[in-house]
Amino acid sequence: MSLSLTIKLHLASSSSSHLTLNTHHHHAKKVKTFETFCYNTRIRPNPIYSTNPLIIPACRIRQRVQCGAMVKSSLIEPDGGALVDLVVPESVRSTKIVEAETLPKVQLTRIDLEWVHVVGEGWASPLRGFMREDEYLQSLHFNSLRVKDGSFVNMSLPIVLAIDDDTKGRIGSSTHVALLGPDGDFVAILRSVEIYKHNKEERIARTWGTTAPGLPYVEEVITRAGNWLIGGDLEVLKPIKYNDGLDDYRLSPKQLREEFDKREADAVFAFQLRNPVHNGHALLMNDTRKRLLEMGYKNPILLLHPLGGFTKADDVPLDVRMEQHSKVLEDGVLDPETTIVAIFPSPMHYAGPTEVQWHAKARINAGANFYIVGRDPAGMGHPTEKRDLYDPDHGKKVLSMAPGLEKLNILPFRVAAYDNKVNKMAFFDPTRAKDFLFISGTKMRAFAKSGENPPDGFMCPSGWKVLVKYYESMQAEEPSEQPVLST
């Protein structure tokens, strides 16, 4: 059954108490800073979705995005001043494919394809392809790129394409190469290529701050990658589609900016997540919207933006998360009139404060002028020791200082936990810490796997049922499960 959640224009309320605001916006009052997925190697051929009555039909979306005019959101400029769009016009597509057939071929993995998607739609603007060596070194060592006017934009994660010795040999002295998708179809042409050494240890150490074994992205991507990187300018031959029933949720930065302007939003606050939405998340998002209204904004819109690329194997898969998110809106936990739900196509690194800069920068390009950041963003447990890999507070501190993110308003939020006194999620009060229960993602998954219900008020019941159903289906499949190799 294909997903009938045809498109993501759920608009919702939002949360957060500590606000770091740029005071240049004409609606904002001057304030100071307050204290206050799943990409799995297994494939699920049958999504578990049911019809969502909150969905806006796809035909209405297509009418909105098929205009040729340049989109210019009034809220925040994309990095570099213009949004990158590298998908070639349909009128020249067949000519480009004929050319691609004559070029040396580079085979992409699923995660490589996700990066083509990210770069091609402009999430990494002003980047126009896989990084050449000078861009790679700037990103790796400075977390930023210098643009033509001499200014800097944030770019904390290297976006690179690895090749092996055999592929390098086949390319030889060719100037351009064709990129083949995992299914063997022509995806893109990479122009004016440059091949340079892939120093894996340096890349891992500088991106994650450790070379400890067990880092999910490292094991899935870097360890098995080739010893060379190839950079160049991308020409994407057709829009990237995954045919998983979720493509209508993958709004590009251009489409999001069009929607924000159509809705006459005067503030857009983005909330990134790779887990199901519980009532603590909703409290934070709703509280943020309330505070923005108190500051004088008239129509703040929440961009609920789950990550849709590679995630580690024990994260809840994307299709299940999207169904769970739809239940949160159906049940009114978030307001469907003031929320846009869309998928962010980036793979997940679990690189903590380094990666959270990428997450924030990409939302600038999507048109969001506020970004909510919480405890240990993009973090994970240490792969070999019983502790967090990163300091839980460093993500929000880094975002407040990161070069190239000055125009983005960072919204650190207070910690929410389950308050046993009132039997619901509430902001943590350290003066009565014993009254609060912290339910981690691991604990939540353990509840769902065992069929045990969490405390009342932790998550909307229909959303919880989605998770329980998923884990029941996983347990039913386990006896006959066969390993599936990723490419």
Side-chain angles (χ1 to χ4, degrees), residues 282-351:
L283 173 67
L284 297 164
M285 290 182 270
N286 288 323
D287 185 67
T288 296
R289 187 168 195 275
K290 174 185 174 184
R291 290 172 181 275
L292 290 173
L293 289 168
E294 290 172 350
M295 290 167 54
Y297 290 92
K298 302 301 183 185
N299 189 29
I301 297 297
L302 167 64
L303 173 59
L304 184 62
H305 215 194
L307 184 137
F310 164 82
T311 55
K312 55 190 175 68
D314 64 346
D315 281 350
V316 178
L318 177 63
D319 62 345
V320 181
R321 286 185 278 131
M322 291 299 290
E323 175 68 1
Q324 193 272 345
H325 298 348
S326 76
K327 299 300 182 184
V328 170
L329 285 137
E330 287 180 32
D331 288 1
V333 178
L334 295 174
D335 182 359
E337 296 302 316
T338 56
T339 303
I340 294 176
V341 183
I343 293 171
F344 176 45
S346 176
M348 186 78 189
H349 279 57
Y350 305 90

Side-chain angles (χ1 to χ4, degrees), residues 190-453:
L190 198 62
R191 301 281 187 189
S192 303
V193 299
E194 177 187 349
I195 298 175
Y196 55 100
K197 190 70 177 174
H198 186 191
N199 187 333
K200 297 180 184 181
E201 184 177 21
E202 180 187 27
R203 179 183 173 191
I204 295 165
R206 295 198 69 90
T207 302
W208 283 269
T210 180
T211 56
L215 298 169
Y217 189 90
V218 171
E219 293 197 342
E220 181 70 22
V221 178
I222 299 179
T223 300
R224 63 181 69 181
N227 294 322
W228 305 93
L229 298 175
I230 181 170
D233 299 325
L234 270 173
E235 290 181 355
V236 183
L237 300 180
K238 58 184 177 181
I240 304 299
K241 302 294 181 184
Y242 301 89
N243 301 314
D244 58 357
L246 294 172
D247 283 328
D248 283 334
Y249 272 87
R250 294 181 173 96
L251 288 182
S252 69
K254 176 182 176 182
Q255 290 171 310
L256 286 169
R257 285 174 174 266
E258 286 174 336
E259 189 59 33
F260 299 149
D261 284 348
K262 177 180 178 293
R263 304 266 171 179
E264 298 182 341
D266 59 354
V268 175
F269 54 109
F271 187 76
Q272 142 116 11
L273 69 168
R274 58 178 175 84
N275 287 307
V277 174
H278 58 61
N279 289 348
H281 295 137
L283 173 67
L284 297 164
M285 290 182 270
N286 288 323
D287 185 67
T288 296
R289 187 168 195 275
K290 174 185 174 184
R291 290 172 181 275
L292 290 173
L293 289 168
E294 290 172 350
M295 290 167 54
Y297 290 92
K298 302 301 183 185
N299 189 29
I301 297 297
L302 167 64
L303 173 59
L304 184 62
H305 215 194
L307 184 137
F310 164 82
T311 55
K312 55 190 175 68
D314 64 346
D315 281 350
V316 178
L318 177 63
D319 62 345
V320 181
R321 286 185 278 131
M322 291 299 290
E323 175 68 1
Q324 193 272 345
H325 298 348
S326 76
K327 299 300 182 184
V328 170
L329 285 137
E330 287 180 32
D331 288 1
V333 178
L334 295 174
D335 182 359
E337 296 302 316
T338 56
T339 303
I340 294 176
V341 183
I343 293 171
F344 176 45
S346 176
M348 186 78 189
H349 279 57
Y350 305 90
T354 298
E355 184 173 17
V356 74
Q357 296 173 67
W358 158 243
H359 293 165
K361 175 246 173 50
R363 276 40 180 246
I364 291 176
N365 287 328
N369 56 341
F370 291 86
Y371 185 77
I372 302 174
V373 60
R375 180 188 181 278
D376 197 21
M380 58 174 281
H382 194 285
T384 61
E385 301 175 18
K386 292 184 178 181
R387 61 179 178 87
D388 290 333
L389 183 55
Y390 306 104
D391 186 298
D393 292 325
H394 281 183
K396 63 184 179 183
K397 291 179 180 179
V398 166
L399 281 187
S400 70
M401 301 181 289
L405 298 182
E406 295 85 359
K407 60 187 174 183
L408 181 66
N409 296 300
I410 304 301
L411 309 176
F413 58 63
R414 288 186 293 168
V415 175
Y418 188 80
D419 188 342
N420 288 303
K421 287 282 189 182
V422 294
N423 295 324
K424 66 179 183 179
M425 299 297 287
F427 291 121
F428 178 67
D429 181 353
T431 64
R432 53 184 189 90
K434 67 181 188 309
D435 295 331
F436 287 86
L437 174 64
F438 287 91
I439 302 176
S440 65
T442 301
K443 181 68 172 175
M444 179 184 69
R445 290 190 291 270
F447 278 139
K449 287 177 181 178
S450 66
E452 180 182 356
N453 288 324

Side-chain angles (χ1 to χ4, degrees), residues 155-186:
M155 183 55 70
S156 62
L157 289 183
I159 299 179
V160 292
L161 178 60
I163 58 174
D164 59 21
D165 293 351
D166 290 342
T167 303
K168 179 178 180 290
R170 288 196 302 271
I171 294 170
S173 60
S174 297
T175 305
H176 315 308
V177 300
L179 305 184
L180 299 178
D183 296 328
D185 56 324
F186 288 102

